[in-house]
Amino acid sequence: MRVRVSSVILSLVVATLVIAAPAPHAARLEKRDEAEDKISDLLTKALESLGCDDCLAALVGVKEYAISDKSRVLEIVNNLCPTLSMYPTDVCTGVVYMQGPVLLDSIIAADLTSDDGRKLCFQAAGACPAPDIGDTTVIFPKPRPADPVAPPPSGTQVEVLHFSDWHVDEEYVPGTDAICNRPMCCRKYDDSPSNITRAAASWGDYSCDAPVKLGLDLLSYIPSVAKPSFSIMTGDVPPHDVWLEDRSAVLPIERHAYANMDNLGINIYPTVGNHESGPTNLYPTEASGGDLSWLYSSLADNWSRWLPSDAVDWVKNYGAYAASPQKGLRIISLNTNFCYRMNFYLYADVDDHDPNGMIKWFINQLQAAEDAGERVWIIAHFNPSQINCLQNWSAQYYEIVQRYSPHVIAEQFFGHTHYDELSIYYQPGIKDAQNAISTAWTGPSVTPHSNLNPGFRIYQVDTGNWNVYDSLTYIADLSQATTWDATGATPNWHLEYSARQAYGSYVPIADDAPLSASWWHDVTVAFESDSAAFQQYWTYRGKSANRIGACAANTTCPAQTICNMRAGMSSELCSKITFSLTKE
């Protein structure tokens, strides 16, 4: 899923938050048409203002209303959704009745007389100012060693493959309309018009998820350019049909996709994304109730072809695991859905800063690695510095990175945004090259949704310190898809750029030096003074599709982007949570 949450889900969030003003008992006796008119007026006002006071008052009202008649709340939202979102009834009904009950239950469980309401309004819709971060002091098993240093390189390098956000669409139909009235197109829907605005090419389209044949072609291309020792996959295999993604839909898609990846003949170390679950985003906590053992068991079964038995057992319990692909390296795969702001289960107890004990488990794994003298790669779907991560969870994660870097944590790898991005973590103090301690890589997506070329990445890594010495990003130019169909050609997979070569021209780097966090900080400094350098980054961020909009030098966009690269935790980001009903 992208940084901007699906407009259908956002419609649901706001609709649920403003479903009724504080309602006396008599209001529940209104006729259905009168109640719907009242709610429609309140909803329109809320969408126009997104004010904090309006949101808080609505929360109190919806809680009282939902306690007595939750099914009626869902019915009204479902009736209003097509008007609010401009999506058809099937999309609205699917999202409302899959996502809505969890959000309503969380609102009912929340203590709205405390700061819970403000936190919910802020995190879900940006309707209130950011609350103060609570006491997130992390307790570590052992103190940080004095003057810790990373191990030296071995001089031997291997290649590692990075996939992210595959979003394979097994129902992709070439020739169908790539422009439609649903969150994803290139499918044959019952109400699809006969006149086609833009016919979907068989290899894919910028408005749609990845057809099966595109992914298979990517897999067949990789051996021609790399011989990876192993691969990481940072989440999101199912497509963006969020109104259809239930248990029966996601399980076969995941099973087929992982079987296809297995054809590479190397171990793949996956992590769980927000789309792996059905319904999308919803990962219950022990406190909130709900059972996701069916998903964890299925993932454990699919991943058992690559993981050792103890890691498989962890997946069954946490949706997370630790495993060692080679001597001296431990991969920790986190389930960051427990920090995701659209995981509505989390709002039942916003003061639970470690849902399901993921933070505690993470610390134990890092401490075990430190004790064993191992290096660690962290892989997860969400970069905790992204705006989608709850601020308290993000602050704890940052403290953990500071405790175990640079001597234990070698690199961090994430997905979710679909972009080719990067962020930097620092020790406390000034954010400069000297204090930069860890790099977080966001891998490019396989899916072209939305307006991006499909891509993947190869890292060149030293087996002594397990740091990245170069990052090679490969793409296919999807604007040529109709030509491939017409000529019988296949996608023109090619090297888009080498990070070492592209940015080393702005910030020279020694031949034997890794692409360290300190070096990347200096690259961001170059971005501040050299517009051409920044624009090169912006082009690569969109995988050279040149379809994501400009980030002009005479706007605030470059400074905001650079700020976000240096943020490290979500509370320090320069971008803000926004609400939009615009179709992605």
Side-chain angles (χ1 to χ4, degrees), residues 40-318:
S40 180
D41 291 341
L42 288 168
L43 182 54
T44 300
K45 177 183 177 183
L47 290 173
E48 290 175 350
S49 70
L50 282 179
C52 184
D53 290 342
D54 290 341
C55 184
L56 292 172
L59 279 177
V60 175
V62 71
K63 180 171 182 175
E64 183 175 353
Y65 198 103
I67 286 173
S68 62
D69 198 349
K70 186 166 66 175
S71 62
R72 176 61 178 144
V73 171
L74 295 173
E75 179 185 1
I76 294 174
V77 174
N78 187 51
N79 291 339
L80 291 174
C81 175
T83 301
L84 296 169
S85 68
M86 297 180 290
Y87 285 132
T89 301
D90 64 323
V91 173
C92 286
T93 298
V95 173
V96 168
Y97 283 98
M98 284 196 283
Q99 303 274 336
V102 173
L103 181 56
L104 289 179
D105 285 344
S106 290
I107 291 173
I108 291 170
D111 180 6
L112 301 180
T113 61
S114 67
D115 286 336
D116 287 10
R118 290 182 179 274
K119 291 177 182 177
L120 202 161
C121 287
F122 165 71
Q123 291 285 178
C128 284
D132 293 335
I133 296 178
D135 182 8
T136 57
T137 302
V138 180
I139 305 300
F140 296 107
K142 296 180 181 179
R144 176 182 171 87
D147 301 320
V149 295
S154 67
T156 300
Q157 292 189 6
V158 295
E159 295 176 315
V160 178
L161 171 65
H162 185 182
F163 294 127
S164 194
D165 296 84
W166 201 287
H167 291 293
V168 61
D169 185 7
E170 294 183 341
E171 296 185 32
Y172 187 103
V173 179
T176 55
D177 209 333
I179 308 297
C180 69
N181 61 347
R182 287 173 172 81
M184 59 176 293
C185 306
C186 302
R187 286 183 172 186
K188 180 64 178 176
Y189 295 111
D190 291 340
D191 60 351
S192 295
S194 56
N195 55 318
I196 302 297
T197 303
R198 185 175 78 221
S202 70
W203 291 106
D205 187 276
Y206 288 116
S207 295
C208 307
D209 274 327
V212 173
K213 68 181 294 187
L214 179 69
L216 293 176
D217 193 72
L218 182 157
L219 291 171
S220 67
Y221 171 77
I222 289 170
S224 70
V225 293
K227 296 181 180 179
S229 294
F230 60 90
S231 174
I232 55 175
M233 165 61 188
T234 48
D236 273 9
V237 167
H240 285 88
D241 54 349
V242 295
W243 70 101
L244 299 172
E245 284 190 10
D246 59 11
R247 174 177 176 173
S248 64
V250 299
L251 291 184
I253 293 171
E254 291 163 3
R255 184 171 63 252
H256 300 159
Y258 291 125
N260 286 333
M261 293 179 204
D262 199 31
N263 291 331
L264 283 172
I266 57 175
N267 278 359
I268 297 175
Y269 296 89
T271 195
V272 59
N274 55 305
H275 276 265
E276 261 65 63
S277 178
T280 305
N281 305 332
L282 301 184
Y283 284 74
T285 67
E286 294 175 0
S288 66
D291 180 19
L292 209 59
S293 60
W294 60 268
L295 174 63
Y296 296 151
S297 294
S298 177
L299 292 177
D301 182 57
N302 287 324
W303 298 352
S304 64
R305 52 171 49 95
W306 304 307
L307 302 182
S309 58
D310 59 342
V312 171
D313 290 340
W314 276 323
V315 174
K316 292 178 182 178
N317 292 322
Y318 292 97

Side-chain angles (χ1 to χ4, degrees), residues 197-464:
T197 303
R198 185 175 78 221
S202 70
W203 291 106
D205 187 276
Y206 288 116
S207 295
C208 307
D209 274 327
V212 173
K213 68 181 294 187
L214 179 69
L216 293 176
D217 193 72
L218 182 157
L219 291 171
S220 67
Y221 171 77
I222 289 170
S224 70
V225 293
K227 296 181 180 179
S229 294
F230 60 90
S231 174
I232 55 175
M233 165 61 188
T234 48
D236 273 9
V237 167
H240 285 88
D241 54 349
V242 295
W243 70 101
L244 299 172
E245 284 190 10
D246 59 11
R247 174 177 176 173
S248 64
V250 299
L251 291 184
I253 293 171
E254 291 163 3
R255 184 171 63 252
H256 300 159
Y258 291 125
N260 286 333
M261 293 179 204
D262 199 31
N263 291 331
L264 283 172
I266 57 175
N267 278 359
I268 297 175
Y269 296 89
T271 195
V272 59
N274 55 305
H275 276 265
E276 261 65 63
S277 178
T280 305
N281 305 332
L282 301 184
Y283 284 74
T285 67
E286 294 175 0
S288 66
D291 180 19
L292 209 59
S293 60
W294 60 268
L295 174 63
Y296 296 151
S297 294
S298 177
L299 292 177
D301 182 57
N302 287 324
W303 298 352
S304 64
R305 52 171 49 95
W306 304 307
L307 302 182
S309 58
D310 59 342
V312 171
D313 290 340
W314 276 323
V315 174
K316 292 178 182 178
N317 292 322
Y318 292 97
Y321 64 86
S324 179
Q326 292 192 25
K327 184 178 180 181
L329 175 66
R330 178 182 301 221
I331 289 179
I332 300 177
S333 176
L334 287 178
N335 185 347
T336 47
N337 290 288
F338 295 117
C339 89
Y340 186 35
R341 72 185 186 95
M342 298 307 292
N343 179 5
F344 296 147
Y345 280 110
L346 302 179
Y347 294 116
D349 184 2
V350 294
D351 292 325
D352 182 0
H353 299 160
D354 186 16
N356 278 33
M358 183 58 50
I359 290 287
K360 182 179 180 180
W361 178 86
F362 179 40
I363 292 171
N364 289 338
Q365 290 301 316
L366 286 168
Q367 188 58 58
E370 182 178 76
D371 293 344
E374 294 175 330
R375 296 286 272 167
V376 165
W377 279 11
I378 300 166
I379 66 172
H381 188 56
F382 302 103
N383 182 343
S385 73
Q386 292 171 1
I387 203 166
N388 282 313
C389 186
L390 298 182
Q391 292 191 350
N392 287 307
W393 204 99
S394 177
Q396 293 177 96
Y397 181 87
Y398 202 143
E399 187 176 348
I400 294 167
V401 171
Q402 291 175 331
R403 162 63 181 83
Y404 290 99
S405 296
H407 60 301
V408 177
I409 298 173
E411 304 285 357
Q412 306 174 63
F413 303 95
F414 304 104
H416 183 66
T417 72
H418 296 194
Y419 296 121
D420 176 348
E421 296 181 305
L422 179 136
S423 59
I424 305 164
Y425 286 69
Y426 301 84
Q427 287 288 12
I430 299 173
K431 292 185 176 181
D432 59 13
Q434 184 176 353
N435 279 324
I437 54 172
S438 186
T439 303
W441 308 79
T442 295
S445 64
V446 174
T447 182
H449 185 284
S450 298
N451 289 318
L452 301 167
N453 281 322
F456 66 93
R457 181 174 289 154
I458 299 292
Y459 299 108
Q460 293 178 349
V461 182
D462 184 273
T463 58

Side-chain angles (χ1 to χ4, degrees), residues 157 468-470 500-501 504 507-516 519:
Q157 292 189 6
V468 171
Y469 281 69
D470 202 359
R500 190 178 197 91
Q501 293 178 6
V507 181
I509 182 171
D511 291 341
D512 60 350
L515 305 187
S516 67
W519 179 77

